[in-house]
């Protein structure tokens, strides 16, 4: 059987089994094991590739970031951050929808997980929004859209996977994700202000109330400071920053703010121990799939096709990659997508002479968008389920919000100097700059 | 309700044997212990490195705990129906169509589990010729996690097939389903 047919067969089996209801890692492995039967590749090598996909040191950050989110949510510490968000923007037109966005901007910097974000926001603000008369479809749409910020800003788990698999600086991706993450956050706030439901108009919180809310939330808000501070000063790798944040929550935040929760910590660890294995086993299976995909020259065929259309124009290459990832992201989750297509991404990054961090942040923003688009917008599906509204209704409410994402993705493609400004200034080496041999500072590629 | 009771998922009770509840509980506890343990080893790694006397073996212990936690977690997630899903067409069906789809799903999982057992075992044997640094332990000690995971997944899948054929797959209490499974906080019962 020729390579094209094998590629088609394994992709078909993955999608067929996946949409039938087979868990994603097993659907991927079924596709790749059957596909390998028609090649020279042994099944032992496939199992080995699955293992290799998980045995990557940088991926250790995932359990730590998920544990941070789990501990913050289960200890009910996040309510303090909700109160702070309410004090800051509760009076702005849009009311609680503005609060959802601001809260997500805070919480995303603690958990790095879109699914944790959507669960926590739905639980904290879903019912209050319903009580204030927001339509359930809009509630699901705004919560899902705001939750995608977690895929971009540090400590984004998607960025960890992208960096670990693509050999791109994870800290650089974290920094480069800040601008598009903030653009989505502020874009959603502007959207809610002009086009969203008015909500209940609250009086502006007096300065004393804002200061009080800030004081109450100060301990949880130190988590992003620890994560970013540790990484930027070079004290910790992203993985180590994650474990330091866990230690901080266990020994400072929970004892200070919810001492009664200490007896439930064993339960949190057991649950988080299960939760983190789910994306990790999927990463392993996707790695085996991606390896066979590359072995069968699938990546080269698509790369040739894209460079045939775009030549070496970096913008056109990125636009075509965004189109491809938008379509793929509509059917597959971001993590397997990144792993399966990383050989293709690497080939095109080189062909277009694109900064790998820039390419990474563009694709992560695209995959974040895929989380709220049909037919498989995981985060929107989850938000609809939590809020109790049909997916199709939530989808209709989300459609106008897509503009925010499309503008952000276009900006990210066409203004690399803005997107890469932060990593260039705080972590120059992460974006390919090197120390100036004849003086102070760094020399950066154009 | 004690933590131990809460750790055994009440979902899809009709697809489970009570006899295996203890195994689910043990695996959940093991997941927690492994996570706690590698949190501790990474913490000690940072501390020992900071004070200038790094313990190099800590990284080896960390990766061992990490790998075993993934495979044990993946195994117990099969029994709890907690894996990531693209969709769940089966839940929209009923009667014979549902029975057929549910059986096919589990046969695919069983097939992959058997591959984990057989090819994972062969890979384990090959692992005795490679060694981990600095302890020089055969890498087979890590590869052993794959066939063990395969055995557990196969056991839980057979449990579901047998009980599904006996009791049917479509019970009302099984509605918690795949979307919750993808949600970390939503795993809480």
């Amino acid at each position: 059987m020729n390579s094209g047919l094998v590629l088609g067969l394994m992709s078909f089996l993955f999608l067929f089994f996946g949409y039938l209801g087979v868990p994603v890692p097993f659907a991927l492995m079924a596709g790749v094991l059957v596909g390998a039967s028609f090649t020279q590749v042994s099944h032992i090598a496939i199992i080995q590739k699955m293992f290799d996909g998980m045995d990557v040191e940088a991926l250790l950050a995932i359990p730590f970031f998920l544990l941070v989110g789990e501990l913050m949510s289960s200890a009910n510490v996040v309510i303090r951050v909700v109160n702070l968000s309410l004090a800051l923007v509760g009076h702005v037109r849009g009311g609680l929808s503005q609060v959802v966005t601001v809260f997500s901007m805070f919480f995303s910097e603690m958990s790095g997980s879109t699914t944790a974000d959507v669960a926590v926001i739905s639980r904290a603000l879903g019912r209050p929004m319903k009580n204030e008369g927001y339509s359930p479809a809009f509630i699901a749409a705004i919560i899902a859209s705001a939750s995608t910020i977690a895929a971009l800003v540090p400590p984004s788990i998607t960025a960890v996977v992208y960096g670990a698999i693509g050999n791109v600086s994870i800290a650089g991706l974290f920094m480069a994700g800040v601008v598009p993450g903030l653009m989505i956050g502020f874009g959603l706030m502007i959207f809610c202000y002009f086009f969203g439901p008015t909500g209940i108009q609250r009086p502006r919180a007096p300065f004393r109330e804002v200061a009080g809310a800030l004081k109450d939330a100060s301990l949880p808000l130190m988590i992003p400071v620890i994560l970013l501070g540790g990484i930027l000063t070079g004290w910790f790798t992203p993985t180590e920053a994650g474990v330091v944040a866990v230690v901080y929550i266990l020994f400072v935040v929970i004892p200070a703010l919810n001492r009664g929760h200490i007896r439930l910590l064993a339960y949190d660890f057991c649950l988080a121990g299960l939760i983190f294995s789910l994306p990790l086993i999927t990463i392993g299976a996707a790695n085996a799939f991606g390896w066979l995909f590359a072995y069968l020259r699938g990546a080269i065929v698509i790369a040739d096709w894209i460079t045939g259309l775009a030549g070496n124009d970096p913008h056109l290459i990125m636009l075509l990659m965004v189109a491809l990832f938008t379509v793929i992201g509509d059917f597959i989750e971001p993590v397997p997508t990144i792993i399966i297509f990383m050989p293709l991404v690497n080939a095109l990054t080189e062909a277009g002479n694109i900064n790998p961090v820039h390419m990474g942040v563009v694709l992560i923003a695209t995959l974040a968008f895929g989380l709220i688009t049909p037919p498989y917008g995981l985060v929107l599906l989850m938000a609809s389920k939590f809020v109790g509204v049909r997916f199709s209704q939530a989808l209709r409410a989300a459609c106008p919000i897509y503009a925010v994402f499309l503008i952000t993705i276009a900006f990210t493609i066409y203004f690399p100097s803005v997107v890469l400004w932060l990593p260039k200034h705080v972590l120059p080496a992460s974006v390919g700059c090197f120390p100036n041999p004849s003086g102070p500072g760094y020399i950066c590629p154009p | 309700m004690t933590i131990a009771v809460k750790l055994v998922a009440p979902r899809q009770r009709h697809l489970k044997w009570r006899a295996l509840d203890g195994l689910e509980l043990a695996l959940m506890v093991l997941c927690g212990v492994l996570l706690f343990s590698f949190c501790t080893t990474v913490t000690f790694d940072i501390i020992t490195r900071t004070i200038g006397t790094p313990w190099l073996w800590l990284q080896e212990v960390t990766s061992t705990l990490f790998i075993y936690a993934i495979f044990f977690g993946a195994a117990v997630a099969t029994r709890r129906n907690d894996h990531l899903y693209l969709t769940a067409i089966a839940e929209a069906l009923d009667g014979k169509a549902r029975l057929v789809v549910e059986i096919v799903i589990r046969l695919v999982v069983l097939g992959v589990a058997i591959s984990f057992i057989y090819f994972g075992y062969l890979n384990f044997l090959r692992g005795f010729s490679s060694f981990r640094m600095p302890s020089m332990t055969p890498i087979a000690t890590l590869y052993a996690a794959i066939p063990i995971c395969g055995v557990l997944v196969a056991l839980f899948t057979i449990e579901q097939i047998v009980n599904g054929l006996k009791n049917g797959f479509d019970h009302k209490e099984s509605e918690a389903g795949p979307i919750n499974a993808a949600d970390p906080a939503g795993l809480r019962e």
Side-chain angles (χ1 to χ4, degrees), chain B residues 15-17 20 78 103 106-107 109-110 113-114 117 150-165 169:
Chain B
L15 296 181
K16 292 177 172 181
W17 288 317
L20 291 186
T78 306
I103 295 286
R106 282 163 181 87
L107 287 178
V109 175
L110 187 61
I114 291 168
I117 298 170
V151 169
L152 291 167
V153 171
L155 176 65
F156 294 143
T157 308
I158 290 167
E159 177 192 24
Q160 289 175 0
I161 292 172
V162 171
N163 285 307
L165 286 172
F169 285 94

Side-chain angles (χ1 to χ4, degrees), chain B:
Chain B
M1 192 185 280
T2 65
I3 289 176
V5 173
K6 281 169 74 181
L7 281 175
V8 178
R11 290 193 303 269
Q12 298 199 323
R13 200 58 261 176
H14 63 289
L15 296 181
K16 292 177 172 181
W17 288 317
R18 293 226 171 260
L20 291 186
D21 284 357
L23 183 57
E24 182 179 336
L25 175 63
L27 287 170
M28 286 297 290
V29 171
L30 200 54
C31 286
V33 170
L34 289 168
L35 175 60
F36 179 79
S37 303
F38 71 74
C39 280
T40 309
T41 54
V42 174
T43 308
F44 273 100
D45 192 25
I46 297 170
I47 293 170
T48 56
R49 202 187 55 217
T50 308
I51 61 176
T53 51
W55 296 349
L56 296 177
W57 54 270
L58 277 173
Q59 291 181 1
E60 208 178 311
V61 174
T62 302
S63 70
T64 307
L65 298 167
F66 179 62
I67 291 293
Y68 274 89
I70 295 170
F71 282 103
F72 284 136
V76 73
T78 306
R79 187 173 202 249
R80 298 166 58 94
N81 198 23
D82 279 341
H83 273 292
L84 303 176
Y85 291 81
L86 289 183
T87 187
I89 287 175
E91 284 192 0
L93 304 172
D94 49 23
K96 255 197 180 142
R98 170 140 192 191
L99 183 74
V100 170
V101 171
E102 294 277 11
I103 295 286
V104 169
I105 289 168
R106 282 163 181 87
L107 287 178
V108 172
V109 175
L110 187 61
V112 173
I114 291 168
S115 301
F116 279 14
I117 298 170
Y118 181 66
F119 299 114
Y121 177 69
L122 295 180
N123 196 44
F124 163 74
L125 293 179
R126 281 201 331 186
F128 282 100
S129 55
S130 306
F131 301 92
R132 304 177 67 199
M133 298 295 284
S135 71
M136 296 301 285
T137 314
I139 201 162
T141 52
L142 273 187
Y143 293 164
I146 303 171
I148 294 172
C149 172
V151 169
L152 291 167
V153 171
L155 176 65
F156 294 143
T157 308
I158 290 167
E159 177 192 24
Q160 289 175 0
I161 292 172
V162 171
N163 285 307
L165 286 172
K166 201 167 87 181
N167 306 325
F169 285 94
D170 46 351
H171 273 224
K172 265 287 167 214
E173 73 268 18
S174 64
E175 292 301 319
I179 292 175
N180 268 354
D183 150 48
L187 288 171
R188 298 180 164 278
E189 297 302 333

Side-chain angles (χ1 to χ4, degrees), chain A residues 47-263:
Chain A
I47 296 289
Q48 177 67 46
K49 287 295 161 194
M50 180 188 77
F51 180 88
D52 291 345
M54 291 176 260
D55 192 21
V56 177
E57 197 196 336
L59 295 179
L60 259 171
I62 294 177
F64 299 141
F65 294 151
L66 283 175
L67 184 57
V68 167
E70 184 61 27
L71 290 170
M72 293 292 290
S73 140
S74 71
N76 205 22
V77 175
V78 287
I79 197 69
R80 291 161 186 267
V81 185
V82 173
N83 291 339
L84 173 64
S85 310
L86 192 64
L88 286 172
V89 294
H91 62 282
V92 180
R93 188 186 182 280
L96 287 183
S97 47
Q98 304 283 4
V99 174
V100 163
T101 309
V102 170
F103 171 71
S104 179
M105 286 157 87
F106 282 130
F107 189 68
S108 294
E109 290 177 17
M110 299 176 199
S111 80
S113 158
T114 48
T115 49
D117 227 31
V118 77
V120 168
I121 302 177
S122 303
R123 217 186 291 162
L125 288 161
R127 188 170 295 277
M129 286 184 86
K130 268 185 186 172
N131 293 343
E132 290 196 10
Y134 292 84
S135 77
F138 177 78
I139 299 171
I142 192 68
I143 287 177
S145 305
S147 301
T148 61
I149 296 171
L152 283 157
V153 300
S156 155
I157 287 170
T158 315
V160 172
V161 173
Y162 191 98
I165 304 297
N167 202 18
V168 179
S169 163
I170 294 172
L173 287 169
F174 280 175
M175 290 297 103
V178 170
V179 169
L182 289 177
M183 276 188 73
I184 291 175
F186 287 116
L188 290 175
M189 290 181 74
I190 293 167
F191 176 87
C192 292
Y193 187 88
F194 288 108
F195 308 108
T198 318
I200 290 178
Q201 292 294 106
R202 293 176 170 75
R204 182 190 289 270
F207 178 75
R208 185 181 294 179
E209 195 180 317
V210 176
L214 184 62
K215 189 179 158 221
D216 279 351
S218 56
L219 283 179
L221 288 179
M222 282 302 290
I223 293 167
V225 176
I226 291 171
L227 288 172
L228 284 183
I231 295 168
L232 296 183
T233 54
W235 284 4
F236 316 124
T237 63
T239 305
E240 291 166 349
V243 84
V244 172
V246 169
V247 171
Y248 171 74
I249 295 171
L250 288 177
F251 290 96
V252 180
V253 178
I254 292 178
L257 302 182
N258 189 357
R259 195 180 289 264
H261 189 76
I262 292 173
R263 64 193 166 82

Side-chain angles (χ1 to χ4, degrees), chain A residues 108-430:
Chain A
S108 294
E109 290 177 17
M110 299 176 199
S111 80
S113 158
T114 48
T115 49
D117 227 31
V118 77
V120 168
I121 302 177
S122 303
R123 217 186 291 162
L125 288 161
R127 188 170 295 277
M129 286 184 86
K130 268 185 186 172
N131 293 343
E132 290 196 10
Y134 292 84
S135 77
F138 177 78
I139 299 171
I142 192 68
I143 287 177
S145 305
S147 301
T148 61
I149 296 171
L152 283 157
V153 300
S156 155
I157 287 170
T158 315
V160 172
V161 173
Y162 191 98
I165 304 297
N167 202 18
V168 179
S169 163
I170 294 172
L173 287 169
F174 280 175
M175 290 297 103
V178 170
V179 169
L182 289 177
M183 276 188 73
I184 291 175
F186 287 116
L188 290 175
M189 290 181 74
I190 293 167
F191 176 87
C192 292
Y193 187 88
F194 288 108
F195 308 108
T198 318
I200 290 178
Q201 292 294 106
R202 293 176 170 75
R204 182 190 289 270
F207 178 75
R208 185 181 294 179
E209 195 180 317
V210 176
L214 184 62
K215 189 179 158 221
D216 279 351
S218 56
L219 283 179
L221 288 179
M222 282 302 290
I223 293 167
V225 176
I226 291 171
L227 288 172
L228 284 183
I231 295 168
L232 296 183
T233 54
W235 284 4
F236 316 124
T237 63
T239 305
E240 291 166 349
V243 84
V244 172
V246 169
V247 171
Y248 171 74
I249 295 171
L250 288 177
F251 290 96
V252 180
V253 178
I254 292 178
L257 302 182
N258 189 357
R259 195 180 289 264
H261 189 76
I262 292 173
R263 64 193 166 82
L264 296 174
L265 286 178
Y267 180 63
D268 288 342
F269 268 88
C270 293
L271 212 54
L274 166 71
I275 291 165
F276 98 83
S277 72
L278 307 180
L280 262 300
I281 193 79
T282 309
I283 287 172
N287 192 60
F289 194 98
W291 181 82
L292 193 60
F293 183 79
Y295 174 85
L296 294 169
R297 302 174 62 82
I300 292 174
V301 170
I302 301 177
D304 286 348
W305 176 69
I306 289 181
T307 47
L309 282 173
N312 292 328
D313 181 345
H315 294 141
L316 209 47
I317 286 177
M318 278 194 276
L319 276 175
L320 288 171
M321 283 299 281
V322 165
L324 179 71
F325 269 52
T326 303
V327 174
I328 294 164
D330 287 342
F331 295 93
I332 315 177
E333 271 188 86
V335 166
T337 306
I338 287 170
I339 298 162
I340 292 168
F341 290 96
M342 192 49 84
L344 168 70
V345 173
N346 285 338
L348 290 172
T349 304
E350 204 173 304
N353 196 21
I354 302 165
N355 188 304
V357 172
H358 183 210
M359 178 66 113
V361 83
V362 167
L363 295 183
I364 291 170
T366 307
L367 291 171
F369 178 46
L371 291 170
I372 56 165
T373 52
Y376 177 62
L378 174 67
V379 168
L380 190 61
L381 270 164
M382 288 175 63
S384 323
K385 179 144 180 165
F386 285 129
V387 174
V389 63
R390 287 173 62 160
F391 179 65
S392 54
Q393 291 173 315
L395 196 60
R396 267 197 295 277
C399 279
I401 299 176
Y402 289 174
V404 172
F405 287 83
L406 294 174
I407 291 168
T408 303
I409 293 168
F411 183 91
T412 310
I413 292 174
Y414 285 99
F415 295 93
S417 54
V418 180
V419 174
L420 298 181
W421 183 85
L422 199 54
K424 258 184 189 169
H425 283 81
V426 292
L427 290 166
S430 71

